[in-house]
Amino acid sequence: MPTLEDKIVQRAASMTMSAVYEQDFYTFSHAFREGHSPHGAVKELREQCYKKKTRWLIDADVQGFFDNLDHGILLDIIRKRINDGGLIRLIGKWLNAGVLDGEQLSYPKQGTPQGGVISPLLANIFLHHVLDEWYVKEVKPRLKGRSFLIRFADDFIIGCELEEDARRIMAVLPKRFNRFGLIIHPQKTVLIDFSSPTRRNRNEREKHTFDFLGFTHYWGKSRNGNWVIKRKTAAKRVRRAIKSIWKWCREHRHYYVPEQYRILSSKLRGHYQYYGIRGNYKMLEVVYENTEKSWRRWLGRRTRDGYITGEEFDKKYRANFPLPLPRIVHSI
């Protein structure tokens, strides 16, 4: 991890470089930028699917991006825009800084500094050149139908109106990333038929949903009976949250109850703050209900009988220490 002094210098360098690159970055790049957020990316993805009448989506996965980023290629990309020898040398030192793991010191030849303040900007610069500019200047003009790109760090979705265009992009995408020392995961990168159920072929073997930034995007019916794009918490994120809270309750069951209540409430509010989007209330309820079950289970282990009845839990804990109920934070 960088020292405090190093972080201050990295922050200063990041602010200086951001003033230059913010003029170049495209609006569909949402990661680590002022005025952009994961929820903004999710909202724009839904709007673009409607606007461009997108049927085919490329859900791409870059294998180990932050660990395999080539230092030499990155510095060459930066030199095209920044002509400051001192700043280039500083970035080179941060990239080549040794990593101390226990008593073993190693010098990585690839990847961005772990925990470095400047790492997100370096990743954005690299992918702006590798993917964003390539898509806008070379790919999009050659397509027959409409298309769009939404990117958040190394997670990105490419949408196409025509299947032919989507398959052409799928064919050249690995070659483009290989030129810069990166690998598009062949199994995790898939082409999805994401057209409305009224338009698609009824083939149950095809995948019609995808996960992006922790949300599963799928088609469902609105209250008016129309088909609309909906979002819910991805199943693996729900499992991870439930497992994490269960483990915390088990390991901290000796804490005073008010302290447990304070920390569990903070965990739930943090979960709602990210996943609390319109149409996702049921998945928030799942996490809330499992948090209550975990808390009750491990509070019961502190008693002589080893368990707490539902009635006892209601009177003694739920009435005095009510956990925050699920709520929608983002109306997107």
Side-chain angles (χ1 to χ4, degrees):
M1 298 294 289
T3 62
L4 175 62
E5 293 84 351
D6 212 13
K7 288 183 177 180
I8 292 172
V9 179
Q10 286 192 25
R11 180 59 181 162
S14 177
M15 291 172 66
T16 304
M17 294 173 66
S18 293
V20 176
Y21 278 101
E22 275 298 323
Q23 304 174 51
D24 300 341
F25 290 158
Y26 295 101
T27 55
F28 56 72
S29 171
H30 292 273
F32 318 120
R33 298 176 61 194
E34 188 176 350
H36 293 262
S37 68
H39 300 101
V42 170
K43 179 181 179 181
E44 186 180 349
L45 175 58
R46 185 173 188 258
E47 291 174 349
Q48 289 289 344
C49 285
Y50 287 143
K51 184 179 179 181
K52 303 289 177 65
K53 295 183 179 180
T54 302
R55 177 167 182 175
W56 300 92
L57 294 176
I58 300 171
D59 183 8
D61 182 87
V62 184
Q63 192 169 325
F65 170 73
F66 287 95
D67 296 328
N68 297 315
L69 195 148
D70 189 280
H71 295 171
I73 296 176
L74 174 61
L75 291 174
D76 288 341
I77 292 172
I78 294 174
R79 287 190 187 98
K80 294 180 179 179
R81 197 70 175 84
I82 295 177
N83 186 23
D84 187 318
L87 187 56
I88 298 294
R89 283 192 296 274
L90 267 178
I91 295 172
K93 289 180 179 180
W94 289 324
L95 291 173
N96 296 309
V99 177
L100 186 62
D101 185 9
E103 297 182 356
Q104 188 172 1
L105 179 65
S106 60
Y107 294 90
K109 296 181 180 179
Q110 293 178 319
T112 56
Q114 188 174 10
V117 178
I118 201 170
S119 294
L121 177 62
L122 297 180
N124 254 351
I125 293 171
F126 195 88
L127 284 172
H128 171 76
H129 178 78
V130 175
L131 178 64
D132 299 355
E133 280 194 329
W134 171 70
Y135 168 77
V136 171
K137 296 180 179 179
E138 297 185 32
V139 175
K140 197 172 182 179
R142 291 177 168 84
L143 301 180
K144 295 180 180 178
R146 292 174 292 184
S147 70
F148 67 85
L149 167 65
I150 303 291
R151 181 174 69 81
F152 191 92
D154 60 326
D155 294 328
F156 63 93
I157 298 286
I158 300 177
C160 294
E161 186 179 6
L162 304 177
E163 181 180 3
E164 179 188 353
D165 290 338
R167 294 198 179 278
R168 288 173 62 194
I169 296 175
M170 279 279 288
V172 299
L173 200 59
K175 300 175 184 177
R176 173 66 181 180
F177 276 77
N178 287 344
R179 283 181 55 190
F180 296 90
L182 296 173
I183 299 174
I184 295 291
H185 201 293
Q187 279 76 43
K188 294 183 179 179
T189 301
V190 292
L191 180 62
I192 302 164
D193 179 2
F194 197 64
S195 57
S196 169
T198 57
R199 297 175 56 197
R200 78 170 69 124
N201 297 323
R202 297 292 180 178
N203 186 352
E204 297 299 327
R205 295 183 180 180
E206 291 183 3
K207 183 180 178 183
H208 302 301
T209 67
F210 66 96
D211 292 347
F212 183 60
L213 300 180
F215 295 98
T216 297
H217 300 248
Y218 66 101
W219 284 92
K221 284 197 173 182
S222 66
R223 292 182 179 179
N224 297 328
N226 300 319
W227 286 104
V228 295
I229 298 173
K230 296 186 175 184
R231 289 73 53 94
K232 63 181 180 180
T233 310
K236 62 181 179 181
R237 296 292 184 96
V238 174
R239 291 193 298 268
R240 187 173 71 181
I242 293 172
K243 184 178 180 181
S244 173
I245 290 175
W246 173 273
K247 183 179 179 182
W248 187 93
C249 290
R250 182 187 66 190
E251 294 177 350
H252 299 85
R253 60 184 183 272
H254 58 283
Y255 277 27
Y256 290 116
V257 173
E259 181 65 10
Q260 289 190 41
Y261 167 71
R262 184 186 66 81
I263 296 175
L264 284 174
S265 296
S266 178
K267 288 179 179 291
L268 281 176
R269 281 192 293 267
H271 185 83
Y272 302 156
Q273 187 66 36
Y274 185 82
Y275 294 104
I277 67 172
R278 190 172 57 192
N280 193 36
Y281 191 85
K282 288 184 179 180
M283 301 306 292
L284 300 182
E285 275 189 324
V286 171
V287 174
Y288 169 79
E289 291 168 359
N290 278 274
T291 300
E292 272 203 338
K293 289 178 182 178
S294 300
W295 199 25
R296 174 184 165 187
R297 170 73 173 83
W298 291 106
L299 283 175
R301 292 297 295 270
R302 294 162 37 136
T303 65
R304 182 175 59 184
D305 298 330
Y307 69 91
I308 297 175
T309 64
E311 184 179 353
E312 184 182 356
F313 181 78
D314 289 345
K315 290 181 179 179
K316 190 174 181 181
Y317 297 103
R318 185 179 285 167
N320 299 311
F321 303 100
L323 292 172
L325 294 172
R327 68 190 187 96
I328 302 301
V329 181
H330 308 279
S331 181
I332 59 172

